[in-house]
Each structure stands twice: as structure tokens, then as C-alpha cells.
């Protein structure tokens, strides 16, 4: 089985929709995704993901099942450095990297930075959500593997968000989502693919084949959006908003 996670195109977070550039990205992306043979489509309930999905689904005459747990990862906990609640992927390197529990997929929500608030509850919701969906397709979790009597080369496609897709990927691969959130990036309209590996009949694991792929944008000559990515070099601006957004705000 192949699982494809598509991050929404460049977002207008205020209106939970796409920007003008995001609509261009979604159109280019759809030309790529329409060529993929997909058994089932699933989509986040949030507007920016559903709008991105529509460019592909409308062309194919297909629909996607809305999965509430695919909404952007919304768990939060109290941040002692900032003095307020924070989404767990927003910590600076030295605030989290020296904490062993945060590197452990089985215990990361037990650390002081993540054990308060709703982080653990949303993490459990995420794990239970993807496991229940995979069970519908015949893949039943057993410890760190999935048991499946009839593993097939079907494809499931998910239109969602960076945070939730990395949380799902962490659960499937045994990697703490803190590591994936902090050390990996998947820009708007990017494609992340996991494929099953079945070396022993009926025993399945998931391998990541590509993460954050943007080849469709490069092929079309469209510059990727940096929404959600901190600056490559120090600028004095601690923000994941693209520079052009800040320029528009100053006008």
C-alpha cells in the first residue's frame, strides 16, 4: 500500500483558504495528482486543505472523505520560555533538543514541555485515527508493525497539513513527531509518500520514499512558497511567514 500526504497549497491562514499563489500551486499540483491511480481520498475538514483537494477531485469527478482527525495538529501545552500555551512544533532548538523524552516516540508527551494541555490527547487522537482507517483497509497494528493478510499496491491520498502529516508519519515509522516537526520541512503543495514493506508475509511496516517533494512546481517554473519555513539565514525576524507577506503588511 502507498500513502500519499499532500500539504495544502500556499495558505491564507486568516480566512482558512488559499492565496492567489496557492491557487496557482493547487492547479499545477492537480496535473500531477490526476495521473495517480488512487483507491480512496481523505481530506482535512479545514478550508485550505479542502480547497487544495478540489482542484484534483473536481477534474476526476471524485470525492474525498472528511476525517476530523486530519485537521492540523492542534495540541498545545504551556511553554515556560514564552509564558503561554504553544503548539509543540514551535520550540527553538536549544529549548527541546537536549530533552531525551522528546526524542522518544513512546514518551515524548511525558516531557515537561508537552505533558500539560491537550498535546497528549491530540496525539492519541491522531494515532487512533490513522490506525482505525488502516484497519478498514485490512492493516491492523500490532506493536510497531501492521498485520495484513492481503497487502495490495493500492494508494490512499490525504489532503492535509504539515503538522498532522508529520504526526501520522511519526506514528507509522516510530519516529517522535518532535523530531519530524523540528528537523524536516514540507512546503505548501508538497507531496510526501510512504510505502509498505512486507519482507515477511503478513508483517508490514511503512517506509518514507519521499518527503516534501515539489517537483511539480519546479517543472512548471513556479517558485515554491516558504510559508511554514523559518529563514535559512538569520534575519532577526523569527517568523515562518514568507518575506513578501511581511512586505505587504508594511504597506
Amino acid at each position: 500500500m502507498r500513502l500519499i500526504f499532500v500539504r495544502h497549497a500556499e495558505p491564507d491562514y486568516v480566512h482558512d483558504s488559499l492565496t492567489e499563489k496557492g491557487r496557482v500551486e493547487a492547479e499545477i499540483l492537480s496535473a500531477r495528482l490526476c495521473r495517480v491511480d488512487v483507491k480512496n481520498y481523505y481530506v482535512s475538514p479545514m478550508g485550505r486543505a479542502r480547497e487544495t483537494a478540489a482542484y484534483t477531485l473536481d477534474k476526476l469527478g471524485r470525492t474525498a472523505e472528511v476525517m476530523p482527525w486530519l485537521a492540523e495538529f492542534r495540541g498545545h501545552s504551556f511553554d515556560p520560555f514564552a509564558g503561554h500555551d504553544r503548539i509543540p512544533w514551535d520550540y527553538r532548538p536549544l529549548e527541546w533538543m537536549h530533552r531525551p523524552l522528546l526524542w522518544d516516540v513512546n514518551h515524548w508527551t511525558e516531557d515537561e514541555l508537552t505533558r500539560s494541555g491537550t498535546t497528549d490527547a491530540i496525539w492519541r487522537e491522531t494515532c487512533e485515527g490513522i490506525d482505525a482507517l488502516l484497519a478498514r483497509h485490512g492493516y491492523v497494528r500490532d506493536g510497531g508493525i501492521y498485520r495484513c493478510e492481503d497487502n495490495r499496491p493500492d494508494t490512499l491520498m490525504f489532503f492535509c497539513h504539515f503538522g498532522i502529516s508529520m504526526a501520522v508519519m511519526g506514528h507509522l515509522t516510530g519516529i517522535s513527531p518532535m523530531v519530524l516537526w523540528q528537523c524536516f520541512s514540507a512546503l505548501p503543495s508538497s507531496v510526501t509518500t510512504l510505502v509498505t514493506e512486507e519482507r515477511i508475509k503478513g508483517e508490514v511496516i511503512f517506509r518514507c520514499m519521499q518527503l516534501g517533494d515539489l517537483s511539480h512546481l519546479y517543472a512548471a517554473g513556479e517558485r515554491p512558497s516558504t510559508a511554514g519555513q523559518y529563514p535559512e539565514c538569520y534575519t532577526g525576524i523569527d517568523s515562518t511567514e514568507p518575506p513578501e507577506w511581511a512586505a505587504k503588511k508594511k504597506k
Side-chain angles (χ1 to χ4, degrees):
M1 174 172 281
R2 185 177 300 263
L3 308 180
I4 298 179
F5 294 89
V6 181
R7 186 187 172 192
H8 57 75
E10 185 178 79
D12 176 346
Y13 286 120
V14 173
H15 300 98
D16 189 22
S17 60
L18 301 182
T19 63
E20 181 177 350
K21 173 173 171 50
R23 289 187 283 274
V24 172
E25 292 175 352
E27 177 64 32
I28 294 171
L29 172 66
S30 69
R32 171 184 181 173
L33 299 184
C34 282
R35 297 194 296 268
V36 181
D37 182 14
V38 176
K39 181 178 182 179
N40 291 100
Y41 294 92
Y42 303 96
V43 65
S44 157
M46 303 186 78
R48 54 192 183 269
R50 297 180 73 167
E51 186 176 349
T52 300
Y55 280 81
T56 298
L57 299 175
D58 290 351
K59 290 178 180 178
L60 295 172
R62 299 284 298 274
T63 59
E65 183 178 352
V66 177
M67 309 298 287
W69 58 269
L70 266 183
E72 180 57 298
F73 192 90
R74 60 198 185 283
H76 58 81
S77 54
F78 182 74
D79 176 7
F81 305 102
H84 55 71
D85 280 4
R86 174 174 284 189
I87 299 292
W89 65 67
D90 197 23
Y91 287 101
R92 293 169 177 159
L94 287 182
E95 294 174 346
W96 76 273
M97 294 190 77
H98 68 290
R99 297 172 175 268
L101 284 178
L102 294 179
W103 292 79
D104 187 333
V105 70
N106 295 312
H107 300 285
W108 73 275
T109 60
E110 299 170 16
D111 186 88
E112 180 185 0
L113 291 184
T114 51
R115 67 181 176 221
S116 66
T118 61
T119 298
D120 183 66
I122 300 303
W123 167 242
R124 292 180 184 277
E125 175 190 270
T126 302
C127 298
E128 292 169 1
I130 186 63
D131 282 347
L133 177 59
L134 289 175
R136 283 165 50 182
H137 292 275
Y139 298 78
V140 179
R141 190 172 179 94
D142 180 10
I145 67 170
Y146 289 83
R147 298 199 178 277
C148 180
E149 295 181 359
D150 187 22
N151 185 22
R152 294 176 176 271
D154 296 328
T155 296
L156 308 182
M157 187 173 290
F158 303 80
F159 290 91
C160 52
H161 315 265
F162 171 68
I164 192 63
S165 60
M166 292 300 100
V168 171
M169 182 173 163
H171 178 60
L172 295 178
T173 62
I175 301 172
S176 167
M178 283 294 290
V179 178
L180 295 171
W181 287 330
Q182 302 284 349
C183 300
F184 293 80
S185 182
L187 296 179
S189 89
S190 63
V191 177
T192 295
T193 304
L194 278 69
V195 177
T196 55
E197 175 182 281
E198 187 180 19
R199 298 176 65 184
I200 298 176
K201 177 64 177 175
E203 297 182 3
V204 172
I205 65 167
F206 287 89
R207 280 183 175 264
C208 181
M209 304 300 290
Q210 59 180 183
L211 193 155
D213 181 69
L214 291 168
S215 56
H216 51 284
L217 295 186
Y218 296 125
E222 178 68 19
R223 176 184 58 81
S225 169
T226 57
Q229 181 180 32
Y230 285 102
E232 181 177 352
C233 300
Y234 182 74
T235 63
I237 301 175
D238 190 18
S239 172
T240 61
E241 294 188 350
E244 57 268 26
W245 289 7
K248 289 179 180 179
K249 289 180 180 179
K250 292 180 179 179
K251 293 182 179 178

mmCIF file of all heavy atoms in Angstrom, residues 7-25:
data_model
loop_
_atom_site.group_PDB
_atom_site.id
_atom_site.type_symbol
_atom_site.label_atom_id
_atom_site.label_comp_id
_atom_site.label_asym_id
_atom_site.label_seq_id
_atom_site.Cartn_x
_atom_site.Cartn_y
_atom_site.Cartn_z
ATOM 1 N N ARG A 7 0.349 18.327 1.357
ATOM 2 C CA ARG A 7 0.114 19.538 2.131
ATOM 3 C C ARG A 7 -0.650 20.532 1.270
ATOM 4 O O ARG A 7 -0.414 20.640 0.063
ATOM 5 C CB ARG A 7 1.434 20.163 2.601
ATOM 6 C CG ARG A 7 1.193 21.351 3.540
ATOM 7 C CD ARG A 7 2.446 22.103 3.907
ATOM 8 N NE ARG A 7 2.081 23.309 4.648
ATOM 9 C CZ ARG A 7 2.917 24.315 4.922
ATOM 10 N NH1 ARG A 7 4.169 24.251 4.526
ATOM 11 N NH2 ARG A 7 2.488 25.373 5.580
ATOM 12 N N HIS A 8 -1.558 21.257 1.875
ATOM 13 C CA HIS A 8 -2.309 22.282 1.145
ATOM 14 C C HIS A 8 -1.361 23.277 0.487
ATOM 15 O O HIS A 8 -0.213 23.453 0.912
ATOM 16 C CB HIS A 8 -3.252 23.014 2.093
ATOM 17 C CG HIS A 8 -2.537 23.649 3.264
ATOM 18 N ND1 HIS A 8 -1.793 24.798 3.164
ATOM 19 C CD2 HIS A 8 -2.434 23.235 4.554
ATOM 20 C CE1 HIS A 8 -1.276 25.101 4.334
ATOM 21 N NE2 HIS A 8 -1.640 24.156 5.202
ATOM 22 N N ALA A 9 -1.838 23.933 -0.549
ATOM 23 C CA ALA A 9 -1.050 24.957 -1.241
ATOM 24 C C ALA A 9 -0.930 26.199 -0.357
ATOM 25 O O ALA A 9 -1.466 26.243 0.765
ATOM 26 C CB ALA A 9 -1.700 25.283 -2.576
ATOM 27 N N GLU A 10 -0.224 27.231 -0.851
ATOM 28 C CA GLU A 10 0.062 28.398 -0.006
ATOM 29 C C GLU A 10 -1.217 28.923 0.641
ATOM 30 O O GLU A 10 -2.180 29.247 -0.043
ATOM 31 C CB GLU A 10 0.724 29.515 -0.799
ATOM 32 C CG GLU A 10 1.125 30.667 0.116
ATOM 33 C CD GLU A 10 1.834 31.799 -0.589
ATOM 34 O OE1 GLU A 10 1.155 32.620 -1.235
ATOM 35 O OE2 GLU A 10 3.081 31.874 -0.508
ATOM 36 N N PRO A 11 -1.219 29.034 1.984
ATOM 37 C CA PRO A 11 -2.459 29.348 2.702
ATOM 38 C C PRO A 11 -2.671 30.832 2.991
ATOM 39 O O PRO A 11 -1.730 31.602 3.177
ATOM 40 C CB PRO A 11 -2.266 28.594 4.016
ATOM 41 C CG PRO A 11 -0.780 28.723 4.261
ATOM 42 C CD PRO A 11 -0.137 28.635 2.895
ATOM 43 N N ASP A 12 -3.928 31.183 3.040
ATOM 44 C CA ASP A 12 -4.376 32.428 3.652
ATOM 45 C C ASP A 12 -4.929 31.992 5.002
ATOM 46 O O ASP A 12 -6.083 31.594 5.112
ATOM 47 C CB ASP A 12 -5.453 33.085 2.786
ATOM 48 C CG ASP A 12 -6.030 34.341 3.423
ATOM 49 O OD1 ASP A 12 -5.807 34.560 4.636
ATOM 50 O OD2 ASP A 12 -6.726 35.096 2.723
ATOM 51 N N TYR A 13 -4.078 32.029 6.024
ATOM 52 C CA TYR A 13 -4.477 31.493 7.321
ATOM 53 C C TYR A 13 -5.641 32.262 7.942
ATOM 54 O O TYR A 13 -6.468 31.689 8.644
ATOM 55 C CB TYR A 13 -3.286 31.503 8.284
ATOM 56 C CG TYR A 13 -2.252 30.438 7.989
ATOM 57 C CD1 TYR A 13 -0.939 30.779 7.690
ATOM 58 C CD2 TYR A 13 -2.586 29.083 8.018
ATOM 59 C CE1 TYR A 13 0.012 29.808 7.429
ATOM 60 C CE2 TYR A 13 -1.638 28.107 7.761
ATOM 61 C CZ TYR A 13 -0.339 28.475 7.466
ATOM 62 O OH TYR A 13 0.593 27.512 7.201
ATOM 63 N N VAL A 14 -5.694 33.557 7.694
ATOM 64 C CA VAL A 14 -6.751 34.371 8.286
ATOM 65 C C VAL A 14 -8.129 33.889 7.849
ATOM 66 O O VAL A 14 -9.068 33.812 8.640
ATOM 67 C CB VAL A 14 -6.565 35.849 7.909
ATOM 68 C CG1 VAL A 14 -7.750 36.680 8.388
ATOM 69 C CG2 VAL A 14 -5.263 36.391 8.505
ATOM 70 N N HIS A 15 -8.263 33.542 6.567
ATOM 71 C CA HIS A 15 -9.547 33.114 6.031
ATOM 72 C C HIS A 15 -9.632 31.597 5.837
ATOM 73 O O HIS A 15 -10.617 31.102 5.288
ATOM 74 C CB HIS A 15 -9.806 33.818 4.692
ATOM 75 C CG HIS A 15 -9.829 35.312 4.807
ATOM 76 N ND1 HIS A 15 -8.724 36.099 4.503
ATOM 77 C CD2 HIS A 15 -10.809 36.161 5.211
ATOM 78 C CE1 HIS A 15 -9.029 37.371 4.701
ATOM 79 N NE2 HIS A 15 -10.281 37.433 5.139
ATOM 80 N N ASP A 16 -8.597 30.873 6.265
ATOM 81 C CA ASP A 16 -8.528 29.419 6.095
ATOM 82 C C ASP A 16 -8.855 29.027 4.654
ATOM 83 O O ASP A 16 -9.731 28.207 4.380
ATOM 84 C CB ASP A 16 -9.471 28.696 7.057
ATOM 85 C CG ASP A 16 -9.248 27.178 7.053
ATOM 86 O OD1 ASP A 16 -8.145 26.737 6.659
ATOM 87 O OD2 ASP A 16 -10.184 26.444 7.411
ATOM 88 N N SER A 17 -8.116 29.625 3.738
ATOM 89 C CA SER A 17 -8.297 29.366 2.310
ATOM 90 C C SER A 17 -6.926 29.433 1.651
ATOM 91 O O SER A 17 -5.907 29.345 2.335
ATOM 92 C CB SER A 17 -9.262 30.390 1.700
ATOM 93 O OG SER A 17 -8.751 31.711 1.850
ATOM 94 N N LEU A 18 -6.888 29.584 0.351
ATOM 95 C CA LEU A 18 -5.622 29.701 -0.365
ATOM 96 C C LEU A 18 -5.393 31.130 -0.828
ATOM 97 O O LEU A 18 -6.338 31.878 -1.089
ATOM 98 C CB LEU A 18 -5.617 28.770 -1.588
ATOM 99 C CG LEU A 18 -5.804 27.278 -1.324
ATOM 100 C CD1 LEU A 18 -5.717 26.502 -2.632
ATOM 101 C CD2 LEU A 18 -4.784 26.749 -0.314
ATOM 102 N N THR A 19 -4.129 31.486 -0.933
ATOM 103 C CA THR A 19 -3.777 32.773 -1.528
ATOM 104 C C THR A 19 -3.885 32.650 -3.050
ATOM 105 O O THR A 19 -4.104 31.560 -3.592
ATOM 106 C CB THR A 19 -2.337 33.161 -1.170
ATOM 107 O OG1 THR A 19 -1.442 32.178 -1.747
ATOM 108 C CG2 THR A 19 -2.130 33.203 0.342
ATOM 109 N N GLU A 20 -3.697 33.756 -3.731
ATOM 110 C CA GLU A 20 -3.700 33.706 -5.197
ATOM 111 C C GLU A 20 -2.601 32.772 -5.687
ATOM 112 O O GLU A 20 -2.809 31.969 -6.604
ATOM 113 C CB GLU A 20 -3.509 35.112 -5.770
ATOM 114 C CG GLU A 20 -3.517 35.168 -7.285
ATOM 115 C CD GLU A 20 -3.390 36.577 -7.830
ATOM 116 O OE1 GLU A 20 -3.486 37.532 -7.039
ATOM 117 O OE2 GLU A 20 -3.177 36.718 -9.052
ATOM 118 N N LYS A 21 -1.428 32.864 -5.072
ATOM 119 C CA LYS A 21 -0.337 31.958 -5.445
ATOM 120 C C LYS A 21 -0.701 30.521 -5.103
ATOM 121 O O LYS A 21 -0.387 29.588 -5.856
ATOM 122 C CB LYS A 21 0.962 32.350 -4.735
ATOM 123 C CG LYS A 21 2.097 31.343 -4.947
ATOM 124 C CD LYS A 21 3.411 31.831 -4.387
ATOM 125 C CE LYS A 21 4.458 30.722 -4.415
ATOM 126 N NZ LYS A 21 4.587 30.051 -5.724
ATOM 127 N N GLY A 22 -1.374 30.335 -3.979
ATOM 128 C CA GLY A 22 -1.777 28.996 -3.590
ATOM 129 C C GLY A 22 -2.692 28.349 -4.611
ATOM 130 O O GLY A 22 -2.598 27.137 -4.872
ATOM 131 N N ARG A 23 -3.558 29.139 -5.222
ATOM 132 C CA ARG A 23 -4.459 28.589 -6.240
ATOM 133 C C ARG A 23 -3.678 28.178 -7.490
ATOM 134 O O ARG A 23 -4.010 27.181 -8.137
ATOM 135 C CB ARG A 23 -5.549 29.603 -6.565
ATOM 136 C CG ARG A 23 -6.561 29.760 -5.427
ATOM 137 C CD ARG A 23 -7.724 30.633 -5.816
ATOM 138 N NE ARG A 23 -7.380 32.041 -5.809
ATOM 139 C CZ ARG A 23 -7.432 32.822 -4.745
ATOM 140 N NH1 ARG A 23 -7.807 32.330 -3.571
ATOM 141 N NH2 ARG A 23 -7.115 34.103 -4.818
ATOM 142 N N VAL A 24 -2.629 28.923 -7.804
ATOM 143 C CA VAL A 24 -1.754 28.536 -8.921
ATOM 144 C C VAL A 24 -1.055 27.228 -8.589
ATOM 145 O O VAL A 24 -0.984 26.312 -9.419
ATOM 146 C CB VAL A 24 -0.722 29.648 -9.215
ATOM 147 C CG1 VAL A 24 0.305 29.170 -10.241
ATOM 148 C CG2 VAL A 24 -1.415 30.903 -9.715
ATOM 149 N N GLU A 25 -0.545 27.120 -7.356
ATOM 150 C CA GLU A 25 0.132 25.893 -6.942
ATOM 151 C C GLU A 25 -0.814 24.695 -6.980
ATOM 152 O O GLU A 25 -0.430 23.603 -7.424
ATOM 153 C CB GLU A 25 0.674 26.065 -5.519
ATOM 154 C CG GLU A 25 1.798 27.065 -5.386
ATOM 155 C CD GLU A 25 2.219 27.278 -3.946
ATOM 156 O OE1 GLU A 25 1.538 26.766 -3.037
ATOM 157 O OE2 GLU A 25 3.243 27.954 -3.737
#
